[in-house]
Amino acid sequence: MLYPNNSADKLGFTEVKELIKEHCLSEMGQQMVDKIQVMNNYDQIRKFLYQANEFKNILVNDAALPIHHFFDIKSLANKAKIEGTFLSEEEFYQVQASLTTVFAVIGYFNEREGQYPNLEALFEHLPIEKAILKKIDLIIDPKGKIRPNASRDLAEITSGIAKAEQEARKKIDQVFKSAAGNGWTADGSLTIRDGRLCIPLLAENKRKLKGFIHDESASGQTVYMEPEEVFTLNNRIRDLEFERRREIIKILTALTDELRPYVPLLLSYHSLLTKLDFVRAKALFAIDVEGEMPEVVNEAKLKLTNARHPLLFLNFKKEQKTVVPLNVHIDEGTRIIVVSGPNAGGKSVCMKTVGLLQMMVQAGLLIPAAESSIVGVFKQLFVDIGDDQSIESDLSTYSAHLSKMKNFVEQANGKTLILIDEFGTGTDPQFGGPIAEAVLETLNHKKVKGMVTTHYSNLKIFASHTEGIENASMLFNNVEMKPLYMLEVGKPGSSYAFEIAQKIGLPQNVLNLAKNKVSAGQKKVDTLLVDLEREKKEIFDTKLKLDKQQRQVNTLLAENETLKSYLEENKKALIRDAKDQAKNIILNANKLVENTISEIKSSNADKEKTRSLRENLNVELQKNTVKPIVAKPAATDEELKPGDWVKLIDSETTGQVIELIKDNVVIAIGDLRTVAKKKRVVKVAKSTVPKEIRKSFNHTGDVASFSPEIDVRGMRTEDALSNIERLFDRALMMGFGNLKIIHGKGDGILRKMIRQYLKKYDQVDRMEDEHLDRGGDGITYVYFK
């Protein structure tokens, strides 16, 4: 139930229907659009939404549906139903074309059985009766004309007409040639008069030739004569043409008689074509406004994510501007949202967006909001927007508002959605405020859901301490004095009356006089709201900064854990190798000592021999002695820079410098990163780094020069996605926490494709638009888990 009756006009739903009608191919489809109503049957709403969503998928992702002709075959079927009537050639052509479209559409869905179940249900159990089409094809050609051989008699008559016309033409050419040779004709050639081919003769020569004069020129000097020899032949042709017309009527009457038993089926085909045209128009409109199918629940609740007003979206699209998205949540916990803020800040548009999208969903239309949005079903929708004063009913503006409030209070319940703009205005604020508060309290007790906009402070205060009612404000830049058109739930908004008046240029003495007339309490409340808004923005910015820092800390902790595990594993392997080498050294040393002793004994301790053997022992000892590493002084910022190769002093680990942070160096070791003090690293030449270590850096490129940012404006979708995927892989390998993708605004298609593509990666945590001042939704930030 909608109250009042003009609610659809107030919210823009009527305009939406007109835009959908523009996409219809037939008058029948437009008539169905006119009949669109807000429904409250949950199953029916879901059915219509699924049909529109499936048709949208066909238009976007599948081959084109073979819809070529839409004719009103219902009126033709009703005409054929009457005994003794017959359809004309053009009418049979319309039936023929419509049936061809119907059979092609049914064949299209049969090839995709099960893929579009809700659209398939439109023609479920509908037979393909091609016998009708075959009968029509025998009589009517593809151009919509009756075939010359539709019957034996028609073929003979057609042949007779052709022969008679040929003979008549031949005869009149002879007469004309003869008359021209005698100089009887006027300037010009053979001409048609009264449907007859005539010879132009000079008036003084009209007695020299026998025939019938059909016309004369304006001057009377030329007459147009049909020669006697041709007159009889032309009469014969006319008689044959009458016979042909009678035969055609006879054939069309017989064909109509054959069509008559199929009238009920033709009506079913008509119904299918009408519904397809209707659903197609809804799907095309959804594509225009970037509409999606939200989750629909059989409860009185609402959760809109990234919602936009469709009419505002289309207007901004023409001007290449973007609509600030709306996020709002209405349920049992937050039943009524009281929106406040400055004039021209977007309060009314915000509320109208909620109302219009709710109406669209309950009318089976896709809405411009994220798929994650949740939309419930309300049994009643009550709207109070604009000035409804009535001279006829002797109602003032405020009386009209009160009349609506009376109906709201009496008829609203827990399944009612109310939308009230400028709640309580129209009378003395001293009395209008308390009345509005009382109405709001009553509606809240009845568990009504909805949204109201107001400037009254008492309603803001009432909402702040009343369960079920929540304050909200339209954000405002109180430095530049510009609205941001963003809804923030949780706190009321200031009207910024004095600030806006000052910016407009109202004299300071007038402003001071006005401020003195405002009560101290009211000034305190308004100042507090302004300060709260400023502090809230600072807290929000700080929170974003802290969240970013926390993600960086978590990334570093994860890298350290990975590196620790890597080093522990390598440590065990090194110790194992060292033990094996030590064992071999001991075994070799024992053999060498034993051999040396044996040789000394055999040489009877000869001095020269003994000295030579000792030198051999020293040589072997030097081979197995580890040279001490001489620590070099810590590299300065000028000596050490990103991209340099370094070695850790207390190990043989080699890596590449990524970043210098005070006394610390961030080093890339293969796919891992670590942080070390400058005094613990030694710069080494790239040529001394083993090839296998250098190769391990080739797949990621130069870490120091890597930038997690890409500009894909102007690229085709496939090229853009390919480049983004390569950057995505490299960023993950290097441990970066986010990517910046510049894709531009345009129609938003490239942005949508990129985001859909990146959703498939489990590593992606979330995606956000850039700040409005720095590019808005023309830039996407991708954050990793």
Side-chain angles (χ1 to χ4, degrees):
M1 173 184 175
L2 292 178
Y3 177 82
N5 294 330
N6 63 352
S7 297
D9 297 330
K10 295 280 188 181
L11 292 174
F13 187 64
T14 304
E15 193 172 344
V16 166
K17 287 166 64 173
E18 290 300 316
L19 291 173
I20 295 173
K21 282 172 67 174
E22 291 178 6
H23 290 293
C24 290
L25 295 173
S26 68
E27 187 178 342
M28 304 90 71
Q30 292 178 347
Q31 290 169 358
M32 281 201 75
V33 174
D34 286 331
K35 294 177 183 177
I36 291 179
Q37 296 293 332
V38 176
M39 303 171 285
N40 54 32
N41 183 297
Y42 172 71
D43 294 327
Q44 199 171 15
I45 291 170
R46 280 172 54 87
K47 181 183 76 172
F48 283 127
L49 284 172
Y50 274 116
Q51 285 176 355
N53 198 44
E54 286 178 3
F55 213 117
K56 178 192 164 194
N57 288 335
I58 289 175
L59 294 171
V60 175
N61 302 315
D62 209 336
L65 196 65
I67 297 178
H68 305 297
H69 301 284
F70 276 97
F71 294 109
D72 185 7
I73 56 176
K74 179 180 180 180
S75 60
L76 302 181
N78 288 331
K79 179 180 177 181
K81 187 166 57 175
I82 303 170
E83 293 283 348
T85 60
F86 67 91
L87 300 183
S88 67
E89 296 170 72
E90 175 61 25
E91 289 170 338
F92 268 116
Y93 170 73
Q94 292 180 7
V95 174
Q96 181 187 45
S98 297
L99 292 182
T100 302
T101 297
V102 168
F103 299 153
V105 167
I106 295 176
Y108 179 93
F109 284 109
N110 286 340
E111 291 174 2
R112 296 159 175 78
E113 188 174 0
Q115 193 172 341
Y116 305 108
N118 291 279
L119 290 176
E120 289 173 15
L122 293 176
F123 55 86
E124 191 175 13
H125 308 306
L126 190 63
I128 300 178
E129 190 55 74
K130 291 192 175 181
I132 312 174
L133 198 56
K134 289 179 180 177
K135 290 176 180 178
I136 296 174
D137 286 343
L138 290 173
I139 305 299
I140 306 296
D141 66 17
K143 294 182 179 180
K145 300 298 180 181
I146 196 159
R147 296 181 184 276
N149 60 347
S151 72
R152 181 179 297 176
D153 290 344
L154 182 63
E156 291 177 358
I157 293 169
T158 304
S159 176
I161 291 173
K163 289 178 181 177
E165 285 178 344
Q166 186 179 6
E167 188 177 347
R169 179 70 191 208
K170 185 177 178 182
K171 176 61 73 175
I172 199 170
D173 283 342
Q174 290 175 352
V175 175
F176 178 66
K177 187 176 180 181
S178 174
N182 292 325
W184 299 342
T185 59
D187 293 336
S189 59
L190 294 173
T191 185
I192 301 292
R193 288 292 186 274
D194 296 334
R196 301 289 187 118
L197 199 57
C198 300
I199 297 173
L201 290 175
L202 294 171
E204 64 266 21
N205 298 322
K206 64 182 179 181
R207 306 271 181 205
K208 296 177 180 178
L209 193 66
K210 291 183 179 181
F212 182 80
I213 297 175
H214 287 278
D215 197 4
E216 66 177 18
S217 65
S219 63
Q221 294 183 3
T222 302
V223 296
Y224 300 95
M225 178 182 286
E226 182 181 10
E228 185 180 42
E229 299 92 325
V230 181
F231 187 74
T232 304
L233 289 172
N234 281 338
N235 284 341
R236 173 61 182 157
I237 293 170
R238 184 65 61 88
D239 290 341
L240 288 173
E241 286 176 346
F242 286 137
E243 284 184 39
R244 183 176 184 276
R245 183 58 192 158
R246 287 191 292 273
E247 181 61 22
I248 288 175
I249 291 173
K250 178 182 174 184
I251 293 168
L252 293 177
T253 302
L255 184 58
T256 304
D257 292 340
E258 291 187 77
L259 189 67
R260 192 165 292 118
Y262 298 104
V263 164
L265 189 56
L266 289 176
L267 293 174
S268 298
Y269 289 154
H270 169 86
S271 177
L272 171 61
L273 287 176
T274 302
K275 289 175 183 175
L276 281 176
D277 190 21
F278 172 64
V279 180
R280 175 183 174 275
K282 293 198 298 181
L284 286 170
F285 177 74
I287 293 173
D288 287 346
V289 299
E290 296 182 10
E292 301 287 351
M293 178 174 170
E295 179 185 348
V296 184
V297 294
N298 198 11
E299 303 174 49
K301 61 188 292 188
L302 181 68
K303 181 183 179 183
L304 294 176
T305 304
N306 290 336
R308 290 146 295 169
H309 194 289
L311 303 178
L312 187 63
F313 175 82
L314 291 174
N315 287 334
F316 275 30
K317 192 175 181 181
K318 292 176 184 175
E319 300 170 9
Q320 296 185 336
K321 296 193 293 186
T322 56
V323 178
V324 178
L326 168 70
N327 296 290
V328 64
H329 190 181
I330 297 174
D331 56 14
E332 284 301 322
T334 305
R335 290 187 290 274
I336 301 176
I337 297 177
V338 178
V339 184
S340 51
N343 285 321
K347 300 190 300 297
S348 297
V349 172
C350 169
M351 186 184 64
K352 287 180 179 180
T353 300
V354 171
L356 179 56
L357 297 193
Q358 183 65 44
M359 288 185 73
M360 288 175 66
V361 170
Q362 291 194 215
L365 303 176
L366 304 183
I367 58 173
E371 289 180 276
S372 57
S373 299
I374 300 172
V375 181
V377 178
F378 291 90
K379 301 295 183 183
Q380 300 179 117
L381 181 61
F382 293 166
V383 178
D384 183 12
I385 297 175
D387 183 1
D388 280 339
Q389 64 177 327
S390 171
I391 296 175
E392 293 82 0
S393 304
D394 195 25
L395 288 177
S396 67
T397 299
Y398 188 62
S399 298
H401 285 306
L402 285 180
S403 177
K404 289 179 184 175
M405 291 307 104
K406 172 181 175 291
N407 282 287
F408 287 11
V409 170
E410 290 177 351
Q411 300 181 28
N413 55 44
K415 293 185 178 180
T416 302
L417 181 70
I418 61 152
L419 302 168
I420 306 174
D421 195 22
E422 300 295 347
F423 196 21
T425 57
T427 190
D428 187 340
Q430 187 176 352
F431 304 107
I435 292 174
E437 185 176 329
V439 171
L440 187 61
E441 184 175 2
T442 304
L443 292 173
N444 186 42
H445 285 159
K446 300 184 82 170
K447 308 295 183 184
V448 173
K449 316 289 191 313
M451 180 179 283
V452 302
T453 68
T454 187
H455 287 286
Y456 284 175
S457 297
N458 68 305
L459 294 182
K460 302 176 190 177
I461 295 169
F462 177 71
S464 65
H465 60 71
T466 304
E467 184 179 353
I469 304 179
E470 189 74 62
N471 270 310
S473 63
M474 300 306 295
L475 293 183
F476 193 80
N477 186 330
N478 54 6
V479 177
E480 299 180 7
M481 301 307 296
K482 290 182 180 179
L484 300 176
Y485 304 108
M486 296 174 66
L487 179 71
E488 183 178 25
V489 179
K491 70 176 185 64
S494 169
S495 296
Y496 290 96
F498 289 116
E499 291 83 354
I500 293 173
Q502 185 173 6
K503 185 183 180 185
I504 289 173
L506 202 65
Q508 190 62 43
N509 62 323
V510 177
L511 284 173
N512 293 335
L513 186 62
K515 288 178 181 178
N516 292 332
K517 292 181 180 294
V518 177
S519 67
Q522 180 59 43
K523 281 195 287 189
K524 187 176 179 181
V525 168
D526 211 49
T527 303
L528 181 61
L529 288 175
V530 174
D531 292 340
L532 275 174
E533 192 159 332
R534 185 185 296 110
E535 291 173 10
K536 188 73 179 269
K537 187 176 185 307
E538 291 174 359
I539 292 170
F540 180 73
D541 292 340
T542 304
K543 183 177 181 296
L544 289 178
K545 194 173 182 180
L546 287 174
D547 287 345
K548 184 178 180 181
Q549 291 175 350
Q550 186 61 48
R551 287 195 299 272
Q552 292 174 343
V553 169
N554 292 340
T555 302
L556 288 173
L557 287 173
E559 290 173 356
N560 286 337
E561 286 297 322
T562 305
L563 182 60
K564 184 179 177 183
S565 302
Y566 176 76
L567 292 175
E568 285 292 332
E569 186 177 341
N570 281 316
K571 181 180 176 183
K572 293 176 183 178
L574 289 170
I575 291 173
R576 187 166 56 250
D577 292 342
K579 286 180 177 179
D580 290 340
Q581 290 178 16
K583 182 179 178 181
N584 291 331
I585 290 171
I586 292 170
L587 291 174
N588 292 334
N590 286 336
K591 288 180 183 178
L592 182 61
V593 170
E594 288 174 3
N595 290 337
T596 302
I597 293 171
S598 175
E599 288 185 20
I600 290 173
K601 285 181 179 180
S602 64
S603 64
N604 295 320
D606 181 67
K607 288 183 179 181
E608 285 297 324
K609 186 67 173 177
T610 302
R611 187 177 61 78
S612 175
L613 291 172
R614 280 185 176 179
E615 287 178 356
N616 288 338
L617 282 173
N618 286 330
V619 170
E620 291 298 324
L621 179 62
Q622 290 295 327
K623 287 181 181 179
N624 294 290
T625 300
V626 178
K627 295 178 181 179
I629 298 173
V630 180
K632 295 182 181 179
T636 64
D637 287 347
E638 289 76 23
E639 296 171 340
L640 204 61
K641 61 183 182 300
D644 288 344
W645 291 90
V646 295
K647 181 182 288 186
L648 295 176
I649 291 175
D650 52 358
S651 74
E652 292 297 314
T653 304
T654 302
Q656 192 175 31
V657 175
I658 298 176
E659 189 178 358
L660 299 171
I661 307 173
K662 295 184 179 179
D663 294 332
N664 298 319
V665 184
V666 181
I667 306 169
I669 304 172
D671 290 337
L672 304 175
R673 290 194 292 175
T674 187
V675 181
K677 294 290 184 182
K678 287 183 180 178
K679 63 184 181 182
R680 289 186 55 236
V681 302
V682 178
K683 183 177 178 180
V684 296
K686 185 176 180 181
S687 58
T688 63
V689 181
K691 289 182 179 179
E692 58 272 13
I693 294 179
R694 293 203 303 268
K695 286 180 180 177
S696 68
F697 285 82
N698 287 342
H699 69 286
T700 57
D702 188 352
V703 177
S705 63
F706 175 75
S707 171
E709 179 178 321
I710 187 170
D711 188 343
V712 296
R713 288 176 294 182
M715 292 187 187
R716 294 173 55 209
T717 303
E718 305 87 53
D719 297 336
L721 294 179
S722 176
N723 290 337
I724 290 170
E725 184 176 26
R726 285 197 293 273
L727 185 73
F728 183 88
D729 293 340
R730 294 181 66 193
L732 285 177
M733 289 180 183
M734 293 183 183
F736 281 82
N738 61 69
L739 287 180
K740 179 180 179 183
I741 302 173
I742 304 170
H743 43 66
K745 296 182 180 180
D747 294 331
I749 297 173
L750 183 58
R751 166 180 172 270
K752 184 176 180 182
M753 296 298 292
I754 289 171
R755 293 196 175 190
Q756 286 180 346
Y757 179 76
L758 291 175
K759 279 181 184 177
K760 71 178 185 179
Y761 289 104
D762 295 335
Q763 296 89 339
V764 174
D765 180 28
R766 69 187 191 282
M767 289 174 273
E768 295 177 354
D769 291 342
E770 174 62 278
H771 190 277
L772 285 173
D773 295 338
R774 297 189 292 274
D777 60 3
I779 298 173
T780 294
Y781 276 97
V782 184
Y783 293 97
F784 302 147
K785 294 180 181 177

